Amino acid sequence: MNMSILDLVKAQIDKENETEILYIDGIDYLHPEYKRYYDRWQKIRDVIEGQEAVKDTSVRERYLPRLSGHTQTLEGQQSYEAFVGYAELYNATGRTVDAYRGLLNRKLPSVTVPDALDYVLDDFTIKGESIYTFIEQLEVELITTNRVGIFVDYPYVDPDSKLSKADMARMNMNPYATMYPAESIINWEETRINNKIVTSLVVLKEVDYVRLTSMMPMEQITYRVLELDENGFYRQVIIHPEYLNTPSGNSRVQGSRYIVKGTVYPKQNGQYMRYIPFFPVTAQGVTWNMSKSVIEDLVNVNIAHYRDTAFHQKAIAWTASPTAVFSGLPDDVPSVSIGSEDAILIAIGGTAKYLEYEGKGLEDIANALHSKENQMAILGAKILANTAGKAESGEAALIHRAGEQGILADIATTVGVAMEKALGIIAAWKGLKPVKGEIKIEINKDFNPGVMDANTILALGKELDEGRISYESYMYALQRGEILPPERTPDEEKRLISERFKGTAISKETLVKYLDKKDINSILGRDDAVMDKKHKSTEPNMDTSNDDSADSDDAEEDMEE
C-alpha cells in the first residue's frame, strides 16, 4: 500500500483550549489531470450558462480579448466596454445539451430492482431525489464535462447505539448515492491489490454555505478523503480548512492549516469494507482515464462565433447610418437641420450628399458567422441546421446523425453500467445478494422519434397470425414503434385484452331468450324437415326453400346485430 493520508497528519497543542489539534498540509493538492482539464470544464460551463456568464468581468477577456486600442486608460477601458456590448452569444451549445438530454430521456429509463430496493425509485439521494432525476443529472454532466463521480454511503451510526428496525425506518437509515461533478474530484489514486487495479484514494472537495453567528451565510469547505488504509480497509477522513475571524467578526478568512475533524470506518453488515464505494464515470466507461468533453469542439466554435458578432455589430454601428456632407455652406451657418421642411443655402459650386458604406467587409464578416453556424450544426447542434428546401435521403440522414447518436449511445451504456454498480453496493448494504438480472438499468437508445405506420402494424399482425413470428416478438416490435408502452410485458398485454372484452360474449340464457323472441327454434325445426324432404325428392320445393332461406338469413342478420 502507498502512504496513507493519516501518515501525513501532524499534531499541535492549542494553547488557548489546551487541546491537541490534528492538521495536515497539502490536502488541496490537485491531480495533474485535473489541472489539465479544469479550465476547459469552466469554459464549457460558462458557454452553456449563456451570455451573462461569458461577459462577467472576471472572465470576459478570456472569451473576447482586448484589441490593441483597448488600453487600460479610461478611454481604452470605455472602448473595450463598448466592444463587449456589441458581442452576442448565439448559444448553440446550451441548446445542444438540452437536445441531447431530451433524446436520452425521450423514454423513461427502465429500472429493475429487488422489492427491498423499491424505495430508491423515489428516494435515491440524501436529498430525497428519485433515481430518474439522478440518472438525468449524470447524463447532463457527462455531456458537459465527460466526468462525474457516484459515491455510495450509509448514514453514520454511533457504534454504541442500539437502534431497532423501527428506529432505523423512522430515521431513514438507508444507503444513498451522491453525485460529484468533475470539479469536486480533485485527487485520486489507483493501486494494485491482489492482482487487480483498484481505487485506493479519492479526495472530494465539498462547498457549502452555513450560518455561523449571523444570518449571513459563509462558505464552508470540506475535504472528504476516501482511502484504503495500510491494512486495505476503507475509511473516510473529514478535513476542514482552518478559518480565522476578521477583526469585525462579520466575516472570516481561510488560514494556512487543514484540520482533521474526524475519521470513520464504514461497515457493511457489521464488516469492514475492502473497497471504496466511489465510481468515476465517463462516456467511455467507468474509469479514471479522462478525455475531452463530447461538446468541447462545439464550444470552441461557439466562442469564435461570439467574437465575430462583436466585430460585425461594431462594423454595422459605424457604417450603417449615412452621413450628410456639405461643401460651399456660408461661413455664418453654425449648424444644419436636415428634413423636408428645412432649406439649406449652398454657394455656387457647393455640394450636398450622403456618404454611405460600400464594400465587402461586412459581407465577409456575415459569411464568417454563417460558416461557423453551419460548423456548429455539424458538430452537434443538428436542431439548428437550416434544412428548409433541401432534400435528404434516408441513408444520408442516418449518416448525418450517426456520430451524434454514437455519442449518446455511449453515454446511455455507461450510465446504465455505473448505476447497476451503485445499486449493487446499496443492495449489499441492505444485506441482499441479488442474482444476475435482478438489478438492471436500461437507458433509452432509440433517438429517432417516429411512430410505426398502419401498414407496418397490419403486416406484423399478418406475420403473427401466420405463425412466422412469436407474440413476444410482435410485442417488442410494437414497443419499438411506440404503439405500446415500453415497460408493458406480453402477459400484461394479454390480461388487458381479456379485461377489455370481458362480459361481451352472449350468455346461454340471453341466447335462449333471443331465440324464443325470434321463434328461431321453429325455423330451425322447419329447416330440418325441409332438408329431409329435399334429400328424398328429386324436385325441390323452390317456394319452401326460398322462404326458409330468407328466414335463416334474417336470423343470421339479427344475431349479428
Side-chain angles (χ1 to χ4, degrees), residues 309-327:
T309 63
F311 289 101
H312 190 240
Q313 293 300 318
K314 180 180 179 180
I316 290 175
W318 280 85
T319 62
S321 300
T323 302
V325 177
F326 301 92
S327 65

Side-chain angles (χ1 to χ4, degrees), residues 64-291:
L64 189 62
R66 291 172 180 265
L67 302 179
S68 58
H70 298 149
T71 61
Q72 297 295 337
T73 63
L74 177 60
E75 183 179 356
Q77 184 63 27
Q78 291 175 341
S79 179
Y80 179 68
E81 294 283 349
F83 189 54
V84 173
Y86 288 130
E88 295 178 353
L89 181 66
Y90 178 76
N91 201 344
T93 302
R95 293 179 63 186
T96 299
V97 172
D98 290 340
Y100 283 0
R101 177 178 53 81
L103 288 172
L104 284 166
N105 293 279
R106 199 172 70 82
K107 298 177 182 178
L108 196 68
S110 172
V111 179
T112 303
V113 294
D115 292 342
L117 296 185
D118 275 347
Y119 75 91
V120 304
L121 299 179
D122 300 315
D123 189 12
F124 189 65
T125 71
I126 199 169
K127 296 180 180 179
E129 296 167 316
S130 73
I131 194 170
Y132 303 105
T133 299
F134 190 85
I135 288 174
E136 187 168 337
Q137 292 171 349
L138 288 181
E139 293 165 348
V140 171
E141 285 300 309
L142 288 178
I143 294 169
T144 302
T145 63
N146 198 23
R147 181 67 177 280
V148 68
I150 303 176
F151 174 48
V152 180
D153 200 9
Y154 195 91
Y156 176 73
V157 179
D158 189 333
D160 296 329
S161 64
K162 303 295 182 181
L163 296 178
S164 65
K165 290 185 177 181
D167 293 332
M168 297 180 70
R170 177 178 53 81
M171 298 171 63
N172 296 314
M173 300 295 289
N174 287 314
Y176 59 88
T178 303
M179 185 193 75
Y180 282 85
E183 295 87 345
S184 297
I185 311 167
I186 66 170
N187 201 1
W188 60 91
E189 186 177 75
E190 292 181 284
T191 304
R192 186 185 183 97
I193 299 178
N194 295 330
N195 297 312
K196 288 188 67 176
I197 301 298
V198 299
T199 300
S200 57
L201 171 71
V202 183
V203 181
L204 304 171
K205 182 180 180 180
E206 304 171 356
V207 180
D208 294 308
Y209 289 88
V210 297
R211 289 186 296 108
L212 298 177
T213 58
S214 67
M215 291 299 293
M216 181 185 299
M218 296 184 181
E219 184 180 80
Q220 174 69 62
I221 296 176
T222 299
Y223 292 95
R224 186 182 301 272
V225 180
L226 318 176
E227 70 166 349
L228 299 180
D229 70 6
E230 59 277 5
N231 296 313
F233 293 117
Y234 161 55
R235 70 182 170 199
Q236 291 187 35
V237 183
I238 307 301
I239 300 171
H240 287 171
E242 181 183 39
Y243 288 99
L244 305 174
N245 292 327
T246 59
S248 65
N250 294 327
S251 61
R252 58 182 186 167
V253 294
Q254 185 173 320
S256 59
R257 297 186 306 180
Y258 295 90
I259 310 301
V260 177
K261 291 294 185 179
T263 301
V264 177
Y265 278 85
K267 291 183 179 181
Q268 200 170 72
N269 302 317
Q271 301 295 319
Y272 291 115
M273 302 168 62
R274 289 192 171 273
Y275 64 92
I276 298 175
F278 184 93
F279 303 105
V281 187
T282 71
Q284 289 70 41
V286 180
T287 175
W288 284 108
N289 297 329
M290 298 172 63
S291 57

Side-chain angles (χ1 to χ4, degrees), residues 28-97:
D28 58 344
Y29 174 81
L30 305 177
H31 193 283
E33 287 291 282
Y34 181 94
K35 295 178 183 179
R36 179 185 172 197
Y37 282 94
Y38 180 80
D39 288 342
R40 296 160 71 173
W41 296 333
Q42 292 307 300
K43 175 181 63 178
I44 294 168
R45 292 197 189 277
D46 286 342
V47 173
I48 291 175
E49 188 173 343
Q51 182 162 296
E52 297 304 317
V54 298
K55 287 189 176 184
D56 187 272
T57 54
S58 63
V59 298
R60 62 184 182 181
E61 291 188 33
R62 176 183 182 185
Y63 304 118
L64 189 62
R66 291 172 180 265
L67 302 179
S68 58
H70 298 149
T71 61
Q72 297 295 337
T73 63
L74 177 60
E75 183 179 356
Q77 184 63 27
Q78 291 175 341
S79 179
Y80 179 68
E81 294 283 349
F83 189 54
V84 173
Y86 288 130
E88 295 178 353
L89 181 66
Y90 178 76
N91 201 344
T93 302
R95 293 179 63 186
T96 299
V97 172

